Amino acid sequence: MHNTLTREQLDRWIQDLSRRLQPQVANARPGDIMDAISQEVDQVGTSVAARDRDYFNDQIRALGEELGCLGAGKADPAP
């Protein structure tokens, strides 16, 4: 049997992820931050209940926007 996370647990996980990624944001390209988010999401994604997947995806999108790696005109800077 596979345990699913509650919304409260998902929120705490996303907050923790945000805290862990903050030090990288200043020195990384937006695409690199999204790759890091994607790797983390892959680890927990199977623990998200079907009824909460849209909510989870919305929260991950909001995190990407908060960290500056999603949104219009947020392309990676030229090397």
Side-chain angles (χ1 to χ4, degrees):
M1 181 173 185
H2 189 35
N3 292 330
T4 58
L5 299 171
T6 65
R7 282 195 179 192
E8 182 178 322
Q9 290 170 317
L10 289 172
D11 289 341
R12 279 191 309 234
W13 182 84
I14 291 167
Q15 290 169 359
D16 181 58
L17 177 60
S18 176
R19 278 191 298 273
R20 287 186 283 127
L21 290 175
Q22 284 297 331
Q24 299 176 34
V25 172
N27 299 321
R29 297 181 309 185
D32 294 338
I33 299 298
M34 279 310 300
D35 285 345
I37 291 172
S38 295
Q39 290 173 7
E40 295 282 342
V41 167
D42 286 346
Q43 304 255 334
V44 76
T46 58
S47 297
V48 177
R51 68 181 176 278
D52 290 330
R53 285 192 187 127
D54 286 341
Y55 173 80
F56 182 66
N57 289 333
D58 290 344
Q59 297 304 307
I60 294 299
R61 175 177 267 297
L63 175 62
E65 290 171 354
E66 172 190 324
L67 296 176
C69 50
L70 282 181
K74 298 285 185 179
D76 285 344

